[in-house]
Amino acid sequence: MTQYGKRTVQFSITPEEAPALVSRIGEQMASGVITLEGRSIEIDGFESIGISLKRTGDKLRARVKVKFPKRPGDAGEAGGDMDDSDGDDD
């Protein structure tokens, strides 16, 4: 199945949980599916996978973003991203 756009999952974790999260994502990449917070993202054909951890008080905001190629014909059009749940412009 060809995927287009990007998929993003965000959630809070403690700083102590961060190393295990990164390790778990790496292990899941080998299987071809990343599952976080009850959401599964098949990564076949991905262009990039980004993991960001941002400190918010005593917790971290974890964000995992998987980008896929743009849909043919969508170049330069707004709204080409699917399921961009984080609401930012990147």
Side-chain angles (χ1 to χ4, degrees):
M1 175 172 92
T2 303
Q3 296 189 65
Y4 302 102
K6 61 184 169 182
R7 311 293 186 278
T8 303
V9 180
Q10 290 188 101
F11 50 95
S12 293
I13 61 171
T14 65
E16 296 78 21
E17 294 171 316
L21 172 67
V22 174
S23 177
R24 185 175 57 181
I25 291 169
E27 291 169 3
Q28 290 180 1
M29 286 178 66
S31 74
V33 178
I34 297 174
T35 302
L36 301 165
E37 297 296 299
R39 291 186 53 199
S40 295
I41 304 170
E42 292 185 31
I43 61 171
D44 185 42
F46 76 91
E47 285 187 344
S48 68
I49 296 176
I51 302 169
S52 69
L53 300 168
K54 184 176 183 179
R55 189 167 300 277
T56 56
D58 60 345
K59 293 236 177 203
L60 298 176
R61 182 186 75 177
R63 180 171 64 179
V64 178
K65 184 183 293 187
V66 181
K67 289 187 179 182
F68 297 94
K70 290 188 183 285
R71 187 177 304 275
D74 279 354
E77 291 182 18
D81 295 331
M82 298 175 59
D83 194 26
D84 185 16
S85 60
D86 64 347
D88 63 50
D89 294 330
D90 60 352

